[in-house]
mmCIF file of all heavy atoms in Angstrom:
data_model
loop_
_atom_site.group_PDB
_atom_site.id
_atom_site.type_symbol
_atom_site.label_atom_id
_atom_site.label_comp_id
_atom_site.label_asym_id
_atom_site.label_seq_id
_atom_site.Cartn_x
_atom_site.Cartn_y
_atom_site.Cartn_z
ATOM 1 N N ALA A 1096 -2.966 -5.591 10.831
ATOM 2 C CA ALA A 1096 -4.175 -5.539 11.682
ATOM 3 C C ALA A 1096 -5.388 -5.084 10.920
ATOM 4 O O ALA A 1096 -6.479 -5.522 11.189
ATOM 5 C CB ALA A 1096 -3.907 -4.615 12.901
ATOM 6 N N LEU A 1097 -5.174 -4.200 9.942
ATOM 7 C CA LEU A 1097 -6.276 -3.756 9.084
ATOM 8 C C LEU A 1097 -6.725 -4.892 8.132
ATOM 9 O O LEU A 1097 -7.888 -5.087 7.903
ATOM 10 C CB LEU A 1097 -5.857 -2.554 8.220
ATOM 11 C CG LEU A 1097 -5.872 -1.207 8.831
ATOM 12 C CD1 LEU A 1097 -5.467 -0.189 7.788
ATOM 13 C CD2 LEU A 1097 -7.216 -0.871 9.372
ATOM 14 N N ASP A 1098 -5.761 -5.530 7.552
ATOM 15 C CA ASP A 1098 -5.974 -6.597 6.551
ATOM 16 C C ASP A 1098 -4.746 -7.429 6.445
ATOM 17 O O ASP A 1098 -3.735 -6.978 5.872
ATOM 18 C CB ASP A 1098 -6.363 -5.964 5.190
ATOM 19 C CG ASP A 1098 -6.599 -7.017 4.135
ATOM 20 O OD1 ASP A 1098 -6.547 -8.218 4.435
ATOM 21 O OD2 ASP A 1098 -6.859 -6.623 2.981
ATOM 22 N N PRO A 1099 -4.780 -8.680 6.935
ATOM 23 C CA PRO A 1099 -3.604 -9.526 6.847
ATOM 24 C C PRO A 1099 -3.107 -9.754 5.395
ATOM 25 O O PRO A 1099 -1.973 -10.148 5.196
ATOM 26 C CB PRO A 1099 -4.066 -10.851 7.478
ATOM 27 C CG PRO A 1099 -5.228 -10.501 8.291
ATOM 28 C CD PRO A 1099 -5.879 -9.289 7.633
ATOM 29 N N ALA A 1100 -3.973 -9.539 4.397
ATOM 30 C CA ALA A 1100 -3.603 -9.736 3.011
ATOM 31 C C ALA A 1100 -3.340 -8.406 2.271
ATOM 32 O O ALA A 1100 -3.391 -8.365 1.076
ATOM 33 C CB ALA A 1100 -4.691 -10.532 2.303
ATOM 34 N N TYR A 1101 -3.018 -7.355 3.070
ATOM 35 C CA TYR A 1101 -2.703 -6.045 2.389
ATOM 36 C C TYR A 1101 -1.556 -6.257 1.392
ATOM 37 O O TYR A 1101 -0.760 -7.165 1.519
ATOM 38 C CB TYR A 1101 -2.354 -4.976 3.395
ATOM 39 C CG TYR A 1101 -0.909 -5.054 3.884
ATOM 40 C CD1 TYR A 1101 0.109 -4.357 3.223
ATOM 41 C CD2 TYR A 1101 -0.520 -5.804 4.969
ATOM 42 C CE1 TYR A 1101 1.419 -4.441 3.640
ATOM 43 C CE2 TYR A 1101 0.754 -5.845 5.442
ATOM 44 C CZ TYR A 1101 1.729 -5.177 4.721
ATOM 45 O OH TYR A 1101 3.057 -5.251 5.164
ATOM 46 N N ARG A 1102 -1.527 -5.402 0.364
ATOM 47 C CA ARG A 1102 -0.412 -5.477 -0.627
ATOM 48 C C ARG A 1102 0.127 -4.093 -0.826
ATOM 49 O O ARG A 1102 -0.550 -3.114 -0.973
ATOM 50 C CB ARG A 1102 -0.959 -5.986 -1.979
ATOM 51 C CG ARG A 1102 -1.303 -7.441 -1.980
ATOM 52 C CD ARG A 1102 -1.842 -7.908 -3.345
ATOM 53 N NE ARG A 1102 -2.945 -7.150 -3.852
ATOM 54 C CZ ARG A 1102 -2.906 -6.249 -4.833
ATOM 55 N NH1 ARG A 1102 -1.769 -6.046 -5.509
ATOM 56 N NH2 ARG A 1102 -3.984 -5.610 -5.221
ATOM 57 N N VAL A 1103 1.479 -4.039 -0.887
ATOM 58 C CA VAL A 1103 2.171 -2.795 -1.211
ATOM 59 C C VAL A 1103 2.156 -2.618 -2.712
ATOM 60 O O VAL A 1103 2.528 -3.532 -3.471
ATOM 61 C CB VAL A 1103 3.615 -2.845 -0.699
ATOM 62 C CG1 VAL A 1103 4.404 -1.648 -1.175
ATOM 63 C CG2 VAL A 1103 3.620 -2.902 0.848
ATOM 64 N N GLU A 1104 1.750 -1.463 -3.150
ATOM 65 C CA GLU A 1104 1.744 -1.146 -4.577
ATOM 66 C C GLU A 1104 3.041 -0.467 -5.001
ATOM 67 O O GLU A 1104 3.578 -0.780 -6.078
ATOM 68 C CB GLU A 1104 0.569 -0.283 -4.901
ATOM 69 C CG GLU A 1104 0.253 -0.068 -6.363
ATOM 70 C CD GLU A 1104 -1.085 0.594 -6.538
ATOM 71 O OE1 GLU A 1104 -1.143 1.830 -6.501
ATOM 72 O OE2 GLU A 1104 -2.062 -0.167 -6.744
ATOM 73 N N GLU A 1105 3.529 0.430 -4.180
ATOM 74 C CA GLU A 1105 4.777 1.130 -4.455
ATOM 75 C C GLU A 1105 5.530 1.294 -3.159
ATOM 76 O O GLU A 1105 4.966 1.504 -2.120
ATOM 77 C CB GLU A 1105 4.524 2.519 -5.059
ATOM 78 C CG GLU A 1105 3.871 2.497 -6.426
ATOM 79 C CD GLU A 1105 3.647 3.891 -6.975
ATOM 80 O OE1 GLU A 1105 4.484 4.779 -6.718
ATOM 81 O OE2 GLU A 1105 2.629 4.083 -7.671
ATOM 82 N N PHE A 1106 6.879 1.167 -3.242
ATOM 83 C CA PHE A 1106 7.751 1.325 -2.110
ATOM 84 C C PHE A 1106 9.040 1.885 -2.542
ATOM 85 O O PHE A 1106 9.631 1.475 -3.536
ATOM 86 C CB PHE A 1106 8.023 -0.073 -1.447
ATOM 87 C CG PHE A 1106 8.829 0.056 -0.212
ATOM 88 C CD1 PHE A 1106 8.192 0.000 1.038
ATOM 89 C CD2 PHE A 1106 10.211 0.145 -0.238
ATOM 90 C CE1 PHE A 1106 8.956 0.108 2.182
ATOM 91 C CE2 PHE A 1106 10.974 0.238 0.922
ATOM 92 C CZ PHE A 1106 10.344 0.233 2.150
ATOM 93 N N GLY A 1107 9.534 2.934 -1.857
ATOM 94 C CA GLY A 1107 10.807 3.470 -2.191
ATOM 95 C C GLY A 1107 11.108 4.692 -1.304
ATOM 96 O O GLY A 1107 10.490 4.916 -0.236
ATOM 97 N N THR A 1108 12.055 5.450 -1.750
ATOM 98 C CA THR A 1108 12.399 6.708 -1.073
ATOM 99 C C THR A 1108 12.270 7.849 -2.046
ATOM 100 O O THR A 1108 12.458 7.702 -3.230
ATOM 101 C CB THR A 1108 13.872 6.668 -0.500
ATOM 102 O OG1 THR A 1108 14.751 6.447 -1.578
ATOM 103 C CG2 THR A 1108 14.023 5.557 0.514
ATOM 104 N N GLN A 1109 11.931 9.013 -1.489
ATOM 105 C CA GLN A 1109 11.773 10.174 -2.308
ATOM 106 C C GLN A 1109 11.982 11.387 -1.409
ATOM 107 O O GLN A 1109 11.447 11.443 -0.301
ATOM 108 C CB GLN A 1109 10.426 10.253 -2.978
ATOM 109 C CG GLN A 1109 10.257 11.365 -3.942
ATOM 110 C CD GLN A 1109 8.878 11.325 -4.621
ATOM 111 O OE1 GLN A 1109 7.922 10.769 -4.088
ATOM 112 N NE2 GLN A 1109 8.812 11.893 -5.792
ATOM 113 N N LEU A 1110 12.761 12.354 -1.841
ATOM 114 C CA LEU A 1110 13.011 13.553 -1.084
ATOM 115 C C LEU A 1110 13.531 13.240 0.354
ATOM 116 O O LEU A 1110 13.232 13.946 1.281
ATOM 117 C CB LEU A 1110 11.755 14.438 -1.045
ATOM 118 C CG LEU A 1110 11.212 14.841 -2.398
ATOM 119 C CD1 LEU A 1110 9.898 15.624 -2.246
ATOM 120 C CD2 LEU A 1110 12.226 15.657 -3.179
ATOM 121 N N GLY A 1111 14.295 12.175 0.461
ATOM 122 C CA GLY A 1111 14.915 11.852 1.715
ATOM 123 C C GLY A 1111 14.130 10.972 2.685
ATOM 124 O O GLY A 1111 14.601 10.624 3.752
ATOM 125 N N GLY A 1112 12.872 10.644 2.335
ATOM 126 C CA GLY A 1112 12.053 9.868 3.225
ATOM 127 C C GLY A 1112 11.424 8.671 2.519
ATOM 128 O O GLY A 1112 11.518 8.506 1.306
ATOM 129 N N LEU A 1113 10.784 7.856 3.296
ATOM 130 C CA LEU A 1113 10.052 6.714 2.769
ATOM 131 C C LEU A 1113 8.831 7.146 1.969
ATOM 132 O O LEU A 1113 8.193 8.136 2.300
ATOM 133 C CB LEU A 1113 9.533 5.802 3.899
ATOM 134 C CG LEU A 1113 10.484 4.877 4.602
ATOM 135 C CD1 LEU A 1113 9.826 4.263 5.821
ATOM 136 C CD2 LEU A 1113 10.932 3.787 3.642
ATOM 137 N N ARG A 1114 8.474 6.355 0.964
ATOM 138 C CA ARG A 1114 7.214 6.546 0.232
ATOM 139 C C ARG A 1114 6.630 5.170 0.040
ATOM 140 O O ARG A 1114 7.259 4.276 -0.589
ATOM 141 C CB ARG A 1114 7.447 7.242 -1.106
ATOM 142 C CG ARG A 1114 7.973 8.648 -0.986
ATOM 143 C CD ARG A 1114 7.061 9.566 -0.215
ATOM 144 N NE ARG A 1114 7.640 10.890 -0.029
ATOM 145 C CZ ARG A 1114 8.212 11.315 1.090
ATOM 146 N NH1 ARG A 1114 8.305 10.531 2.143
ATOM 147 N NH2 ARG A 1114 8.728 12.528 1.166
ATOM 148 N N VAL A 1115 5.461 4.980 0.613
ATOM 149 C CA VAL A 1115 4.800 3.660 0.578
ATOM 150 C C VAL A 1115 3.360 3.832 0.134
ATOM 151 O O VAL A 1115 2.651 4.747 0.673
ATOM 152 C CB VAL A 1115 4.842 2.932 1.969
ATOM 153 C CG1 VAL A 1115 4.129 1.577 1.905
ATOM 154 C CG2 VAL A 1115 6.207 2.833 2.495
ATOM 155 N N SER A 1116 2.952 3.065 -0.814
ATOM 156 C CA SER A 1116 1.560 3.102 -1.298
ATOM 157 C C SER A 1116 0.990 1.688 -1.207
ATOM 158 O O SER A 1116 1.575 0.724 -1.665
ATOM 159 C CB SER A 1116 1.530 3.593 -2.732
ATOM 160 O OG SER A 1116 0.218 3.524 -3.257
ATOM 161 N N VAL A 1117 -0.173 1.589 -0.509
ATOM 162 C CA VAL A 1117 -0.856 0.280 -0.414
ATOM 163 C C VAL A 1117 -1.907 0.143 -1.466
ATOM 164 O O VAL A 1117 -2.647 1.103 -1.772
ATOM 165 C CB VAL A 1117 -1.477 0.196 1.004
ATOM 166 C CG1 VAL A 1117 -2.266 -1.073 1.195
ATOM 167 C CG2 VAL A 1117 -0.393 0.267 2.092
ATOM 168 N N ALA A 1118 -1.970 -1.035 -2.081
ATOM 169 C CA ALA A 1118 -2.989 -1.257 -3.096
ATOM 170 C C ALA A 1118 -4.368 -1.150 -2.568
ATOM 171 O O ALA A 1118 -4.656 -1.461 -1.395
ATOM 172 C CB ALA A 1118 -2.758 -2.677 -3.697
ATOM 173 N N ASP A 1119 -5.244 -0.645 -3.419
ATOM 174 C CA ASP A 1119 -6.693 -0.560 -3.065
ATOM 175 C C ASP A 1119 -7.283 -1.959 -2.824
ATOM 176 O O ASP A 1119 -6.766 -2.927 -3.369
ATOM 177 C CB ASP A 1119 -7.454 0.121 -4.210
ATOM 178 C CG ASP A 1119 -7.121 1.613 -4.326
ATOM 179 O OD1 ASP A 1119 -6.750 2.216 -3.328
ATOM 180 O OD2 ASP A 1119 -7.231 2.121 -5.450
ATOM 181 N N ARG A 1120 -8.298 -1.937 -2.044
ATOM 182 C CA ARG A 1120 -8.961 -3.201 -1.712
ATOM 183 C C ARG A 1120 -10.430 -3.065 -2.171
ATOM 184 O O ARG A 1120 -11.038 -2.039 -2.062
ATOM 185 C CB ARG A 1120 -8.886 -3.442 -0.199
ATOM 186 C CG ARG A 1120 -9.412 -4.764 0.237
ATOM 187 C CD ARG A 1120 -9.153 -4.985 1.707
ATOM 188 N NE ARG A 1120 -10.150 -4.320 2.454
ATOM 189 C CZ ARG A 1120 -10.313 -4.456 3.772
ATOM 190 N NH1 ARG A 1120 -9.482 -5.184 4.456
ATOM 191 N NH2 ARG A 1120 -11.233 -3.797 4.427
ATOM 192 N N PHE A 1121 -10.947 -4.160 -2.631
ATOM 193 C CA PHE A 1121 -12.329 -4.193 -3.083
ATOM 194 C C PHE A 1121 -13.064 -5.312 -2.338
ATOM 195 O O PHE A 1121 -12.549 -6.433 -2.186
ATOM 196 C CB PHE A 1121 -12.421 -4.440 -4.580
ATOM 197 C CG PHE A 1121 -11.825 -3.308 -5.370
ATOM 198 C CD1 PHE A 1121 -10.437 -3.300 -5.627
ATOM 199 C CD2 PHE A 1121 -12.634 -2.303 -5.847
ATOM 200 C CE1 PHE A 1121 -9.876 -2.231 -6.330
ATOM 201 C CE2 PHE A 1121 -12.078 -1.218 -6.541
ATOM 202 C CZ PHE A 1121 -10.728 -1.185 -6.820
ATOM 203 N N GLU A 1122 -14.219 -5.000 -1.841
ATOM 204 C CA GLU A 1122 -15.093 -5.940 -1.074
ATOM 205 C C GLU A 1122 -16.363 -6.135 -1.912
ATOM 206 O O GLU A 1122 -17.059 -5.148 -2.153
ATOM 207 C CB GLU A 1122 -15.423 -5.462 0.288
ATOM 208 C CG GLU A 1122 -14.220 -5.355 1.238
ATOM 209 C CD GLU A 1122 -13.636 -6.680 1.570
ATOM 210 O OE1 GLU A 1122 -14.327 -7.696 1.564
ATOM 211 O OE2 GLU A 1122 -12.393 -6.721 1.786
ATOM 212 N N ALA A 1123 -16.600 -7.399 -2.306
ATOM 213 C CA ALA A 1123 -17.806 -7.705 -3.122
ATOM 214 C C ALA A 1123 -17.897 -6.807 -4.322
ATOM 215 O O ALA A 1123 -18.985 -6.319 -4.689
ATOM 216 C CB ALA A 1123 -19.055 -7.643 -2.217
ATOM 217 N N GLY A 1124 -16.771 -6.513 -4.941
ATOM 218 C CA GLY A 1124 -16.694 -5.706 -6.106
ATOM 219 C C GLY A 1124 -16.763 -4.202 -5.920
ATOM 220 O O GLY A 1124 -16.699 -3.432 -6.813
#
């Protein structure tokens, strides 16, 4: 809903829970 073209940069588990990082987005540089 924020951005249909979002990209996951990192995904995994750590310390028993999910860890997800979304790639930065740049608009007009």
Side-chain angles (χ1 to χ4, degrees):
L1097 279 181
D1098 179 1
Y1101 81 90
R1102 289 181 305 107
V1103 171
E1104 190 168 84
E1105 294 181 34
F1106 184 97
T1108 59
Q1109 186 177 25
L1110 303 175
L1113 281 171
R1114 296 301 175 259
V1115 181
S1116 175
V1117 175
D1119 291 331
R1120 186 174 82 172
F1121 295 85
E1122 294 295 330

